[in-house]
Amino acid sequence: MSSTVLGASLSAHGVSPDQARGMDYFLNELFRWNRVHNLTAIEDTDAAINLHLIDSIVIFPILQRYLGETQKGKAAGVCVADMGSGGGLPAIPLAILEPAWSFSLIEASKKKAAFLQHIRGGLQLKNVEVMARRVEGVAHEMAGQFDAVTARAFTRLKNLLDLARPLLKSSGLVFAMKSQRSEEEIAEVSQERWTLLEECVLALPGQNIDRRLLVFKSK
């Protein structure tokens, strides 16, 4: 894939040419590794740009809006845990877009974690740490160390929030990416432990797909 072509697709979303080149490398390596390791079911280039890259990029302004306030007055940057990182979405595009934030990519599958390490090295992403562990183990050792948790198609919402809670600092945030309306899952969430701050409907180019980002704050 030409980085020039990809850059034209991403420029409307505020992605710089350098960032587009990084995402071009990431997507090409995802396709290359996928031939052996089955990292994604999406093999069409245009669909991958929209359903992988832009799907991740469009949530970035929302994270900035919430976490920009978190970063004010802090000597260190924002710390984000990405649960069930899989092929690196949304964490790798987000790490490319925001080098001042630290991303811990939690992925239990050794082959997927190896791919994430490969991308980290290839792009020299110093703000990325890959943790080939189960979320429960990381939460035990790193309790209360993260400003936010991101997750994309990881597990049912109630379970996702239960797993995320030990990772978060007090009043930490969870950004849960969902591919459909989520009223039933939201109804299962404890209102004593969580506040739903926002349900963002996301539009992807040329896709008639219901994409949503749920923003929760722990109480």
Side-chain angles (χ1 to χ4, degrees):
M1 186 190 318
S2 166
S3 58
T4 302
V5 173
L6 182 61
S9 299
L10 301 182
S11 61
H13 297 274
V15 177
S16 73
D18 282 345
Q19 292 167 340
R21 281 189 285 272
M23 293 188 193
D24 176 62
Y25 171 83
F26 165 59
L27 204 56
N28 278 316
E29 290 302 287
L30 181 64
F31 283 145
R32 188 170 69 86
W33 279 58
N34 194 56
R35 299 185 194 114
V36 177
H37 298 294
N38 192 29
L39 300 174
T40 177
I42 299 172
E43 298 180 345
D44 176 76
T45 299
D46 289 340
I49 291 172
N50 291 324
L51 298 177
H52 286 338
L53 294 184
I54 294 178
D55 190 40
S56 300
I57 290 165
V58 293
I59 73 168
F60 181 55
I62 303 168
L63 269 67
Q64 282 183 308
R65 174 154 50 86
Y66 283 98
L67 298 178
E69 291 298 316
T70 300
Q71 193 167 6
K72 288 181 179 178
K74 289 180 58 175
V78 169
C79 294
V80 179
D82 186 58
M83 299 196 317
S85 291
L89 299 156
I92 294 297
L94 293 176
I96 292 172
L97 292 173
E98 184 47 271
W101 294 358
S102 298
F103 292 86
S104 294
L105 280 57
I106 307 171
E107 175 50 57
S109 166
K110 296 294 190 284
K111 66 180 181 181
K112 292 178 181 178
F115 169 72
L116 297 174
Q117 288 283 20
H118 170 71
I119 293 297
R120 178 185 181 274
L123 291 176
Q124 300 183 31
L125 292 173
K126 296 180 180 179
N127 61 332
V128 166
E129 177 185 16
V130 178
M131 311 184 78
R133 306 275 304 283
R134 292 183 61 83
V135 172
E136 296 89 338
V138 175
H140 180 72
E141 295 182 4
M142 303 183 69
Q145 294 193 26
F146 296 94
D147 299 294
V149 165
T150 55
R152 179 182 190 252
F154 179 54
T155 185
R156 196 164 179 87
L157 185 60
K158 181 181 181 299
N159 188 43
L160 187 160
L161 294 173
D162 287 343
L163 289 169
R165 189 177 177 87
L167 293 164
L168 292 170
K169 299 176 181 178
S170 60
S171 299
L173 299 171
V174 173
F175 298 90
M177 301 175 71
K178 289 289 179 178
S179 59
Q180 59 190 7
R181 295 182 64 84
S182 309
E183 284 85 353
E184 182 181 341
E185 289 192 55
I186 292 172
E188 297 173 353
V189 174
S190 169
Q191 296 184 19
E192 296 179 356
R193 305 184 76 183
W194 296 97
T195 299
L196 176 60
L197 299 178
E198 191 171 357
E199 182 175 5
C200 308
V201 180
L202 307 173
L204 301 181
Q207 302 293 321
N208 186 22
I209 296 175
D210 189 359
R211 287 290 214 221
R212 290 168 186 260
L213 180 69
L214 304 177
V215 185
F216 282 91
K217 182 177 182 180
S218 64
K219 295 182 178 178

